[in-house]
Amino acid sequence: MKIALASPPICPDKEQKKAWLDQLTEAAKSTGASIVCFPESFLPGYPGMGYPSSDRTPEALEKALAEAQSIAARHRIAIILPMDWFIGDKLYNVAQVIDADGQILGYQAKVQLDPSEDEWWTPGDTRQLFEVNGLVFGIAICHEGFRYPETVRWAARQGAKVVFHPHFSGGNTEGVVLQEWGHKDNPYYEKAMQMRALENTIYFASVNYATTYQESGSAIIAPDGTCLVHQQYGQPGITFSDINLAKATGLLANRFKPIK
């Protein structure tokens, strides 16, 4: 099976976002991937990305999701689409899962919010797995996968072969231009990606935006912690790799002995 990650630039205009969603989904399909994952809060954008508040209403988000469903169906590929989502009058940071027919399989809400996000979102309270073309996977969103390894271990112990990790780190205004994925002087994020795979014996697929000052690069990590492929910093595009589900045994995750 082949999986793909989509790294778009930051763009506050909703029509530009739709164009990137369509373009990168089509590119992912051309690689033969069965599923493509976009970065955290792609719609309407992470707080501070400059989008108008009108893009964040329930009606606007419902319309954007419907457009994404059409894109998935047209290109015949499943999409993991991170976005804001209202449940009642509360706003959540979620990742919607859309199958290749354009149907919604469900969503994973971000349970572990960064302290800076408390004013924006309500934390979710459940975790779940999804299945596309025989691939069982979980989703951990940004802060969860970096600082709460339990979120990934839960998925691995429930049978996930891959955990997708949409996130956002860095930006376009200030920072350091990274040169080498996984370098010892980089921020810890890329090492955390490797650990989430290695400590659970599963694949870990982490996707970020393409920005000038990225603090982490999109990458697909093998169950032994090896980086199979990564996107070049600052370059929008698709990161993809074949994965061998037989190697995602969950061995180390399942040897965990919780204290009762």
Side-chain angles (χ1 to χ4, degrees):
M1 173 172 283
K2 189 171 288 182
I3 62 174
L5 307 174
S7 298
I10 292 174
C11 47
D13 181 79
K14 65 181 178 182
E15 291 304 319
Q16 288 180 331
K17 284 194 189 76
K18 182 180 176 181
W20 276 109
L21 179 64
D22 190 24
Q23 176 184 328
L24 292 176
T25 299
E26 182 178 23
K29 178 63 177 181
S30 72
T31 71
S34 298
I35 188 168
V36 58
C37 182
F38 283 78
E40 182 183 20
S41 299
F42 181 64
L43 298 174
Y46 195 83
M49 286 186 175
Y51 57 85
S53 59
S54 58
D55 289 353
R56 208 172 185 233
T57 65
E59 296 76 17
L61 294 171
E62 289 169 7
K63 179 181 178 182
L65 179 57
E67 291 171 342
Q69 290 177 257
S70 296
I71 289 171
R74 185 166 71 253
H75 295 302
R76 301 297 303 159
I77 182 173
I79 299 174
I80 298 174
L81 181 66
M83 65 185 299
D84 286 1
W85 194 247
F86 281 92
I87 302 174
D89 60 353
K90 295 181 178 179
L91 186 65
Y92 293 79
N93 176 330
V94 311
Q96 301 275 4
V97 180
I98 308 168
D99 71 13
D101 293 322
Q103 300 300 307
I104 302 294
L105 299 182
Y107 62 80
Q108 176 63 62
K110 190 174 186 178
V111 175
Q112 297 287 346
L113 300 180
D114 183 272
S116 65
E117 298 170 341
D118 287 342
E119 64 180 296
W120 285 93
W121 294 299
T122 298
D125 58 10
T126 58
R127 307 207 71 84
Q128 61 179 310
L129 298 184
F130 306 89
E131 184 173 349
V132 167
N133 291 358
L135 172 65
V136 178
F137 62 92
I139 301 170
I141 302 174
C142 198
H143 185 66
E144 296 184 314
F146 288 137
R147 296 186 180 93
Y148 291 87
E150 298 87 353
T151 62
V152 180
R153 177 146 291 174
W154 178 90
R157 285 174 59 82
Q158 301 304 311
K161 301 296 186 179
V162 180
V163 169
F164 287 94
H165 180 236
H167 72 277
F168 172 50
S169 71
N172 288 325
T173 57
E174 60 182 357
V176 175
V177 178
L178 301 184
Q179 301 296 326
E180 179 185 343
W181 196 96
H183 191 277
K184 65 182 180 63
D185 293 331
N186 288 3
Y188 82 100
Y189 300 120
E190 292 163 349
K191 293 301 183 185
M193 296 176 194
Q194 293 179 285
M195 286 305 303
R196 295 300 86 83
L198 175 62
E199 68 198 8
N200 292 297
T201 327
I202 61 169
Y203 290 91
F204 192 75
S206 187
V207 57
N208 193 12
Y209 293 86
T211 64
T212 305
Y213 305 107
Q214 286 184 234
E215 294 179 343
S216 53
S218 300
I220 298 173
I221 313 298
D224 64 359
T226 302
C227 179
L228 296 176
V229 63
H230 64 83
Q231 182 72 359
Q232 293 300 310
Y233 299 120
Q235 294 185 12
I238 293 294
T239 305
F240 61 94
S241 179
D242 288 305
I243 60 173
N244 183 344
L245 299 185
K247 292 184 176 181
T249 63
L251 174 65
L252 294 179
N254 288 312
R255 285 179 61 83
F256 175 66
K257 292 180 170 55
I259 298 173
K260 296 181 180 179

